[in-house]
Amino acid sequence: MNFATWPALLVVDVEGNGTNPPDLVETAALPVRDARPDKSTAGWWLTRPTRPVTPFATRVHGLTNTYLADKPAWADVADQVRAFLGNAWICAHNAHTDYRVLTAHLPDWEPAGVLDTLRLAKDTFPDLGTYSLDKLIEHVQPDLREAPGARHRATFDAYATAQLLIAMASRYDTWDQLVAAAVPPGLPGGVLPSLARP
């Protein structure tokens, strides 16, 4: 895999307030450049939700209503997030979720394409059985010493997902092969059916 040929790519992760549909409370977008996550140019936004964070959501990511009370509302940062994402490719673990939430919050935004490390892992490790982020971290053993934050925070999960993407992508010869394995059906960037992997 020649990583230098990759288009602009951001690994994204979002955390919500626990409602359905969710209000965003944390959004991270981490560029991948030259086969490395680039923390120096990453985007990170904490936002005060319209509806309170549920106790369950707080138990997952640790973000409380008190902590978020003085953070900007989503409407105050939406243009900044949209400009940062631009029309780059995005990657996420179980990407349908992040893509659906982001497009709901940014109705005029569309990425060039969407890579899903969950889908990619099933192609890369067909016998693994389960494909949660924790299971893949355990299996691949990526270097997470420089990961910001803690597990279930958007910054950490984006960094871990980026390291998993890089590790798995090295098993594919070309970007097109990676796309065929990693873009979920119906999401932007997918290859024509005649080019898809069997």
Side-chain angles (χ1 to χ4, degrees):
M1 172 67 72
N2 181 2
F3 288 93
T5 64
W6 282 26
L9 174 72
L10 298 164
V11 178
V12 299
D13 189 77
V14 298
E15 300 297 336
N17 67 332
T19 62
N20 187 21
D23 296 334
L24 287 176
V25 296
E26 187 177 34
T27 306
L30 178 66
V32 172
R33 296 189 175 96
D34 300 321
R36 297 183 61 231
D38 185 3
K39 290 195 304 180
S40 68
T41 60
W44 177 52
W45 301 269
L46 286 167
T47 44
R48 180 182 71 253
T50 303
R51 296 162 292 178
V53 181
T54 66
F56 175 80
T58 294
R59 285 195 297 273
V60 172
H61 51 53
L63 294 167
T64 65
N65 291 299
T66 301
Y67 179 73
L68 296 167
D70 63 348
K71 302 300 183 283
W74 176 257
D76 297 326
V77 303
D79 287 345
Q80 183 184 351
V81 176
R82 185 185 296 105
F84 190 92
L85 295 175
N87 61 353
W89 280 73
I90 64 166
C91 174
H93 193 69
N94 196 13
H96 277 286
T97 299
D98 299 79
Y99 174 77
R100 183 176 64 248
V101 172
L102 283 169
T103 52
H105 283 77
L106 299 170
D108 59 348
W109 167 77
E110 184 80 357
V114 180
L115 300 180
D116 182 4
T117 48
L118 174 61
R119 182 177 175 83
L120 181 62
K122 290 179 178 180
D123 187 82
T124 309
F125 309 117
D127 300 321
L128 196 57
T130 60
Y131 298 91
S132 68
L133 196 61
D134 288 323
K135 178 67 174 180
L136 289 172
I137 290 170
E138 176 188 329
H139 182 72
V140 177
Q141 298 284 306
D143 184 357
L144 299 179
R145 289 173 294 179
E146 294 186 17
R151 178 73 176 94
H152 297 296
R153 289 293 300 273
T155 50
F156 182 99
D157 289 1
Y159 189 93
T161 299
Q163 293 288 56
L164 291 169
L165 170 66
I166 292 161
M168 290 188 287
S170 66
R171 297 167 177 254
Y172 296 81
D173 293 331
T174 66
W175 169 259
D176 287 345
Q177 287 180 1
L178 182 69
V179 164
V183 176
L187 292 193
V191 296
L192 296 173
S194 61
L195 301 177
R197 296 177 64 151

